[in-house]
Amino acid sequence: MNFQPMRDLIVVEPIERVKSDLIEVVMDEKDCIGIVRAAGPGKIDAKGRRFMPVKVGDRIRFGTTGKDEYLKYQNYHENDVRYLVMSWQDVNFIEET
């Protein structure tokens, strides 16, 4: 990856859901699971730099609008890999391993 996110932004590689070969399933859901590939240092406010609760390598879940677009995420493509750039505050939860 050729860049470092600023402030409280993170770069997520979405994990695409695999459809079943045995049962035909209609999957209209957008990706909502991903791996954090890069994280900014955190926002700076009057109290200093804020703690970043997510780190590189975390498996996270995030929301979508339910339509054909993500909430406030920007798509980024590098070497034929799709990434999403979002604020860590858009993360619903971090999966424990």
Side-chain angles (χ1 to χ4, degrees):
M1 189 166 302
N2 294 328
F3 66 92
Q4 173 68 34
M6 301 296 289
R7 300 181 312 275
D8 66 340
L9 297 178
I10 59 173
V11 177
V12 177
E13 182 179 350
I15 298 172
E16 304 218 5
R17 298 174 74 182
V18 179
K19 294 183 180 182
S20 172
D21 290 335
L22 302 175
I23 302 171
E24 186 175 329
V25 179
V26 177
M27 294 177 58
D28 292 335
E29 291 183 22
K30 292 291 180 184
D31 304 323
C32 63
I33 302 171
I35 305 290
V36 177
R37 297 297 183 200
K43 254 187 190 174
I44 297 177
D45 60 11
K47 297 179 182 179
R49 189 171 299 277
R50 291 189 179 189
F51 171 71
M52 283 288 285
V54 296
K55 61 185 179 303
V56 174
D58 283 347
R59 183 179 167 111
I60 62 169
R61 292 202 179 228
F62 49 91
T64 62
T65 61
K67 298 178 184 174
D68 289 341
E69 60 187 42
Y70 293 96
L71 292 173
K72 298 179 248 175
Y73 316 148
Q74 298 174 5
N75 281 304
Y76 174 76
H77 296 272
E78 184 176 298
N79 299 328
D80 297 329
V81 178
R82 182 175 67 117
Y83 298 100
L84 300 173
V85 179
M86 66 180 80
S87 171
W88 74 265
Q89 295 174 347
D90 294 328
V91 174
N92 294 333
F93 59 88
I94 301 170
E95 292 185 3
E96 292 184 5
T97 55

